[in-house]
Amino acid sequence: MTNDIDTMNKIVSFAKRRGFVFPSSEIYGGFGAVYDFGPYGTELAKNIREFWWKKMVQENDNIVGLDSSIFMSPKVWEASGHVGGFSDPLSECKQCHTRVRVDHLLEDIGVFADEKMTEGEINELLLENKEKLRCPKCGSSNFSEAKSFNLLVQSNLGNFTSDWNKEPTYLRGETCQGIYVNFKNVLDSTRVKVPFGIAQIGKAFRNEITARQFIFRKREFEQMEMQMFVHPDDAMDTYEKWREKRWQYYLEMGIKEENLKWHEHENLVFYAKAAWDIEYKFPFGFKELEGIHARGDYDLTQHAKYSGKKLEYRNPQTGEVFVPHVVETSVGLDRTFLAVLTDAYVEEKLEDGKSRTVLKLPANLAPIKIAVFPLMKNKPELVAKAREVFDELKMKYMCEFDDNGNVGKRYRRQDEIGTPYCITIDFDTLETGVVTVRDRDTMEQEKVNIKELPSYFRDIFDK
Ligand code: ATP
């Protein structure tokens, strides 16, 4: 597929038309950078979550799960540095009033703006490069002075005074803080021993300045994060191991390797030991999908300092007491969703000169695993038999029953949403008990006896 605006537009309209992603509150004109998953999107998102959980928690016996709250003590965000420093440089195009992130504009022309830069330093860069910078909407180079804009989303939870901003609480800006503050609880309540990890999937909220690029940059999004707590001497080995594991994860997920690449952060924050991103080739270019970071002991040390509680580990064998270092893997569910959709979306020319759109999703990610059709909907005996097959298979797999239109059209509909198999019940079935199973990718058809369907699909889906 070509990487351009057309492709992106195609994906956006396809996602809406086929019930994967809807703009939030659309009947009210939408709501910037907030989206809803439709019926098939909900299934795909669920399958991505399950795959991540399996690979991180189920398959690693030293990683446990957590589900911490979206609301946390405001102190958490002071300790983490988010209240003071979680900001992006915002500027406005003087011509058309589009808001832009100055660091992104600079990045587009190959100039790197460090996260630690002051407003003054960013403005110097803005001035120096003025002639080269262009507003993404109108093309003008006339921008207002950049201002730091904090990304934390405030709420008035628990604030019963009329002064709204007196004691702001926040919707969490990232899920990992819930992991750090539960480090001791997990240690005390389970049998984990360093090295161990805590994994969590959940919503995060950021007041993102620019609301572009569909679900790549949302204001309400979902993160899948794992924090590994390790001995300081083992941190870099563990880090390298997880870099490798996370790369393999995407290949196992079925993402094409040529659409992935590594990006090393050159300017690390002062506490970080290493930071690499896995980037995916989205229709708008290679962009961050996942961050893998060696964070030193910064997080536990900060929370120990602000809470006054010791966040250490005592080796039960040697008695050594130390503050574990953290190796983090952090990926957005929504960005994975977009990568998976982009990777799987194919427009194919067929031999008969016609074309079809097909989502070549791996079977475990497909929203619907099997579609069941009676050949004709006005033949009660065919419909009844098809219902029987459907009712049995749906107990194990997400299935869809479709009796609408001719079978060719039904195949196309299922191809578009990525259903790997379609079953057709015809008059032969009534006599012989044999159905036609059609494969999405090869479009080949096979005769299978109804009695053998459970083992036929078990071999495919339970691999
Ligand atoms: P970016 O530089 O693109 O803003 P980030 O470096 O701030 O991302 P992290 O704070 O490292 O992102 O968050 C970890 C992961 O969470 C990212 O790799 C990304 O997949 C996801 N993520 C972050 N912000 C968003 C967002 N606004 N919408 C969707 N996913 C996001």
Side-chain angles (χ1 to χ4, degrees):
M1 201 193 319
T2 51
N3 282 330
D4 53 19
I5 295 170
D6 281 354
T7 309
M8 192 61 209
N9 290 342
K10 254 186 212 170
I11 299 266
V12 174
S13 71
F14 165 81
K16 184 175 165 216
R17 184 166 47 82
R18 294 314 327 259
F20 281 85
V21 182
F22 303 137
S24 161
S25 326
E26 200 183 7
I27 57 167
Y28 290 100
F31 195 58
V34 186
Y35 292 89
D36 301 334
F37 287 132
Y40 296 127
T42 305
E43 293 297 327
L44 175 57
K46 185 188 82 190
N47 295 340
I48 293 172
R49 271 187 219 107
E50 277 176 6
F51 182 68
W52 186 87
W53 198 260
K54 179 168 182 288
K55 290 281 139 195
M56 302 304 279
V57 183
Q58 193 178 329
E59 289 185 12
N60 292 287
D61 44 15
N62 64 346
I63 299 183
V64 293
L66 183 80
D67 190 2
S68 71
S69 298
I70 283 168
F71 285 115
M72 303 173 81
S73 162
K75 297 260 180 321
V76 169
W77 305 106
E78 280 173 43
S80 67
H82 283 78
V83 173
F86 188 44
S87 52
D88 287 334
L90 165 71
S91 175
E92 199 173 290
C93 167
K94 287 190 180 166
Q95 194 94 9
C96 70
H97 304 291
T98 295
R99 286 177 181 167
V100 291
R101 259 181 75 173
V102 177
D103 54 333
H104 283 170
L105 275 192
L106 288 164
E107 208 177 285
D108 288 346
I109 57 158
V111 178
F112 184 74
D114 192 330
E115 278 175 21
K116 286 172 287 178
M117 277 184 173
T118 61
E119 260 178 26
E121 287 167 331
I122 288 277
N123 276 309
E124 267 174 41
L125 277 184
L126 187 63
L127 262 175
E128 272 169 33
N129 295 285
K130 191 174 180 320
E131 293 312 315
K132 283 187 256 163
L133 299 177
R134 292 275 173 270
C135 168
K137 191 155 177 211
C138 72
S140 154
S141 312
N142 201 358
F143 293 102
S144 69
E145 200 173 293
K147 293 241 175 310
S148 278
F149 183 78
N150 193 291
L151 300 183
L152 279 182
V153 177
Q154 280 190 23
S155 87
N156 67 345
L157 184 87
N159 180 358
F160 302 106
T161 68
S162 56
D163 187 355
W164 152 268
N165 268 335
K166 204 167 158 201
E167 260 200 326
T169 45
Y170 303 98
L171 296 166
R172 66 181 172 202
E174 58 185 22
T175 53
C176 57
Q177 297 303 328
I179 294 180
Y180 303 134
V181 300
N182 276 298
F183 165 76
K184 218 175 149 355
N185 281 338
V186 172
L187 204 57
D188 293 346
S189 62
T190 65
R191 292 184 299 117
V192 291
K193 288 194 181 70
V194 164
F196 74 93
I198 305 180
Q200 151 151 263
I201 300 178
K203 288 271 171 108
F205 301 81
R206 294 184 189 175
N207 223 345
E208 297 282 1
I209 296 168
T210 47
R212 285 199 308 272
Q213 295 166 332
F214 194 37
I215 58 171
F216 176 83
R217 190 170 299 287
K218 293 164 83 179
R219 295 195 171 116
E220 173 183 340
F221 58 101
E222 215 168 310
Q223 289 184 313
M224 306 190 283
E225 297 199 293
M226 190 280 294
Q227 315 290 313
M228 198 82 202
F229 298 94
V230 299
H231 188 281
D233 293 347
D234 299 334
M236 292 322 288
D237 275 357
T238 309
Y239 181 73
E240 287 308 326
K241 193 179 110 197
W242 276 98
R243 260 189 1 112
E244 177 56 27
K245 273 188 171 231
R246 294 306 298 159
W247 185 266
Q248 287 305 326
Y249 162 91
Y250 289 106
L251 304 186
E252 263 189 69
M253 192 183 230
I255 299 280
K256 296 182 197 89
E257 195 161 17
E258 69 262 27
N259 289 339
L260 293 169
K261 78 170 190 204
W262 285 108
H263 167 78
E264 183 178 14
H265 287 234
E266 283 152 22
N267 297 29
L268 295 176
V269 281
F270 69 94
Y271 53 81
K273 306 282 181 244
W276 287 76
D277 293 338
I278 295 180
E279 295 189 338
Y280 177 76
K281 196 178 185 184
F282 290 100
F284 38 85
F286 271 105
K287 296 276 177 212
E288 174 177 341
L289 178 58
E290 162 155 358
I292 301 157
H293 311 126
R295 299 180 56 89
D297 63 4
Y298 178 76
D299 307 287
L300 292 183
T301 310
Q302 281 295 100
H303 285 301
K305 189 165 128 197
Y306 277 73
S307 67
K309 302 283 181 322
K310 276 193 181 153
L311 298 178
E312 298 170 334
Y313 180 76
R314 185 178 176 282
N315 184 318
Q317 259 100 50
T318 64
E320 184 193 4
V321 176
F322 59 92
V323 178
H325 279 207
V326 165
V327 170
E328 164 184 79
T329 75
S330 172
V331 55
L333 169 75
D334 312 270
R335 285 190 192 178
T336 310
F337 187 110
L338 184 57
V340 164
L341 215 57
T342 310
D343 228 62
Y345 184 93
V346 181
E347 285 172 3
E348 259 179 10
K349 276 254 163 296
L350 302 176
E351 277 170 13
D352 59 6
K354 292 191 182 135
S355 62
R356 67 165 184 161
T357 299
V358 49
L359 265 194
K360 295 202 168 172
L361 291 170
N364 65 323
L365 296 185
I368 303 294
K369 309 292 185 223
I370 307 160
V372 182
F373 313 152
L375 185 65
M376 285 184 258
K377 77 170 179 188
N378 55 359
K379 297 284 174 207
E381 58 283 29
L382 286 183
V383 174
K385 195 74 194 163
R387 277 267 163 212
E388 214 180 277
V389 171
F390 171 72
D391 284 340
E392 185 177 344
L393 290 174
K394 78 177 183 196
M395 301 312 284
K396 187 132 171 62
Y397 307 105
M398 267 319 284
C399 293
E400 201 165 270
F401 186 86
D402 190 356
D403 59 6
N404 204 351
N406 67 45
V407 170
K409 277 207 183 113
R410 290 183 240 170
Y411 282 154
R412 293 292 169 270
R413 271 204 294 274
Q414 296 299 331
D415 288 346
E416 271 202 311
I417 61 164
T419 305
Y421 297 95
C422 295
I423 296 178
T424 305
I425 278 79
D426 56 21
F427 292 106
D428 258 6
T429 315
L430 301 179
E431 280 176 23
T432 61
V434 168
V435 298
T436 308
V437 178
R438 183 255 196 190
D439 181 296
R440 175 196 68 199
D441 297 339
T442 62
M443 293 189 286
E444 271 166 21
Q445 303 187 356
E446 201 180 342
K447 298 281 182 193
V448 181
N449 196 295
I450 290 177
K451 283 200 221 93
E452 283 156 21
L453 285 176
S455 65
Y456 179 88
F457 286 119
R458 201 178 314 121
D459 288 349
I460 291 168
F461 291 117
D462 296 358
K463 266 196 284 200

